[in-house]
Amino acid sequence: MKKSLKNYTLSYITIIILIVIAVWATLFYAYITEEVYDNVDDGLKNQKIEIIRAAYQDESILKTDTFGINQFKITKSNVKKKHIEKSTFRNELIYMPYDEDMEPYRILTTYFYGKDKQMYRLEIRTSTVEEDELKYDLASALIILYFLIIISIFLLNTWVFYRAFKPFYQILNKLEQYQFGKIRESEPIQSNVREFTLLDTEIDKMLDRNEKIFKQQKLFIENASHELQTPLAISTNKLELLLEDEELAEHHLITISETKESLERMIKLNKALLMLSRIENNQFEAIEKINFNSLIFEVCEEFADLIDFKGIKIKINEHGTFTIDFNVDLAKILLSNLLRNAINYNKSLDGLIEIKIDQHHFTIANTGKGRGLSADHIFDRFHKETSAVNSNGLGLSIVKTIIETNKNLKINYSYSDSFHLFKIQKL
């Protein structure tokens, strides 16, 4: 699923900030605990000096063999001097009656000689920070901080994107509304961002170039088609005159007849290509509400003689009225090509065409020879899966192109129960 640029950047920022805060919290916690222990240790060292000095002045202090109010105790020791370190620190959990819980304490241990030349062991303890509570408080504060940062970034991101990218979305809207061949009245995008102004300018230049090329191509196709029609029509007329010449031999008449048929196919191909070009160039712009029910009956009436000649039966079942905003000329071309296709590729004498009309779709189905056609290629230009001589392979391609001019329609082909079925439905 595609994301907007704002949400795309926000998702990455969220993950990156989460990682950064996690790493920072770990380092911050280690730094804080180290700083706390360093300060506590400095305090214990100062207490040690004061207690040892006091013990030299007042030997009664040497009898303090239990922790009391002053949180130190002195006991005799037989440890040899070479095994004594200056001072050692350790952490212990000690039960506190007030809290009825074990509390962390930092304990300094050191040794010194009294006036009586006796070795004494001095232990001083002090309450220190509870690491579990510190972790919990730090985690809670960081979680709140994280969400506040994300919310702030989201709000700031939304506001900044709305202001900074407003010209960008205006440019996108301009491109979405642009259509070849239509008069384009575009004003320059106002933006303080140099890149957006440059982008808008270059896009306008590109669209102008496309319009010039489009008009040149359109004019060339129309002129080429018109220029081709005239000599083709003249050639066909001359061949018809030759066919009326009774002095020509039979094999000459056959050759002339085949040539005339080839020219007629070329005329039809030229007309079909011109029609495709006009449709793709959006030259059928007039849109109105079209009632396809009445239009289907009208087109069927136009093909009535051909249908009777080929011995094909036609059934029209109305289960609703299919109406949609469409160009009336394109609608007639669409139905004519579908119906002509159903006639040309039907069975001889006992063929059947079934047309079903509903409010949301209509179908044109016909019997035919052989199996189902390739749904992936049936609408391709010049694609023919039969040996029909008169087919130029553009009829269904024109149908597909007409459907694509209306974003509210789609066409599907399927083969079922010996019927080739084309379904046009509203989206």
Side-chain angles (χ1 to χ4, degrees), residues 219-237:
L219 185 62
F220 170 78
I221 292 173
E222 290 176 352
N223 291 338
S225 177
H226 182 268
E227 293 299 323
L228 280 173
Q229 287 293 109
T230 302
L232 287 173
I234 293 172
S235 300
T236 304
N237 291 334

Side-chain angles (χ1 to χ4, degrees), residues 35-252:
E35 191 66 24
V36 168
Y37 287 140
D38 186 57
N39 290 334
V40 170
D41 292 347
D42 288 343
L44 290 174
K45 288 175 183 177
N46 288 330
Q47 277 187 271
K48 177 191 74 171
I49 294 171
E50 292 176 359
I51 292 170
I52 292 174
R53 284 177 179 173
Y56 272 93
Q57 296 173 2
D58 184 2
E59 292 186 2
S60 64
I61 294 175
L62 298 174
K63 297 178 181 180
T64 310
D65 56 356
T66 58
F67 288 106
I69 297 173
N70 294 322
Q71 295 294 308
F72 75 89
K73 70 176 182 178
I74 300 174
T75 54
K76 291 182 180 181
S77 176
N78 296 322
V79 178
K80 294 181 181 180
K81 186 176 181 180
K82 64 179 181 178
H83 298 299
I84 298 173
E85 297 180 5
K86 239 181 180 184
S87 295
T88 58
F89 298 90
R90 70 180 188 275
N91 297 320
E92 280 189 12
L93 291 175
I94 299 173
Y95 180 78
M96 292 287 105
Y98 177 77
D99 294 328
E100 296 182 351
D101 195 9
M102 304 295 287
E103 298 292 338
Y105 269 74
R106 186 76 166 168
I107 300 175
L108 178 147
T109 302
T110 188
Y111 296 86
F112 68 95
Y113 285 103
K115 279 186 176 182
D116 54 0
K117 306 301 182 182
Q118 172 66 41
M119 176 70 72
Y120 290 93
R121 178 183 180 183
L122 171 63
E123 289 180 285
I124 311 169
R125 71 183 187 185
T126 184
S127 178
T128 185
V129 65
E130 295 187 28
E131 294 186 24
D132 291 341
E133 291 186 5
L134 178 61
K135 289 179 182 178
Y136 176 79
D137 293 340
L138 181 60
S140 300
L142 289 176
I143 289 172
I144 295 172
L145 176 63
Y146 172 74
F147 282 106
L148 287 175
I149 290 174
I150 296 302
I151 292 170
S152 300
I153 290 175
F154 174 78
L155 295 175
L156 184 62
N157 211 19
T158 302
W159 183 74
V160 170
F161 264 80
Y162 176 77
R163 289 183 60 85
F165 277 81
K166 186 177 179 181
F168 177 74
Y169 290 111
Q170 290 175 340
I171 294 171
L172 285 182
N173 186 55
K174 180 195 295 187
L175 291 174
E176 287 175 357
Q177 294 180 350
Y178 172 72
Q179 290 184 354
F180 279 115
K182 289 193 174 182
I183 298 174
R184 185 172 61 90
E185 295 180 358
S186 175
E187 295 182 359
I189 301 298
Q190 301 298 323
S191 175
N192 295 325
V193 181
R194 177 180 175 274
E195 286 77 6
F196 287 152
T197 304
L198 183 61
L199 177 64
D200 182 58
T201 303
E202 293 302 318
I203 286 177
D204 282 339
K205 290 180 181 178
M206 180 193 70
L207 295 181
D208 289 337
R209 287 195 299 268
N210 288 347
E211 280 296 314
K212 290 179 182 178
I213 294 171
F214 168 76
K215 290 177 181 178
Q216 292 172 358
Q217 183 184 34
K218 176 182 171 183
L219 185 62
F220 170 78
I221 292 173
E222 290 176 352
N223 291 338
S225 177
H226 182 268
E227 293 299 323
L228 280 173
Q229 287 293 109
T230 302
L232 287 173
I234 293 172
S235 300
T236 304
N237 291 334
K238 288 184 177 181
L239 290 174
E240 286 177 351
L241 292 173
L242 285 173
L243 288 173
E244 294 175 1
D245 190 350
E246 296 178 355
E247 295 181 1
L248 291 175
E250 183 179 353
H251 67 279
H252 288 150

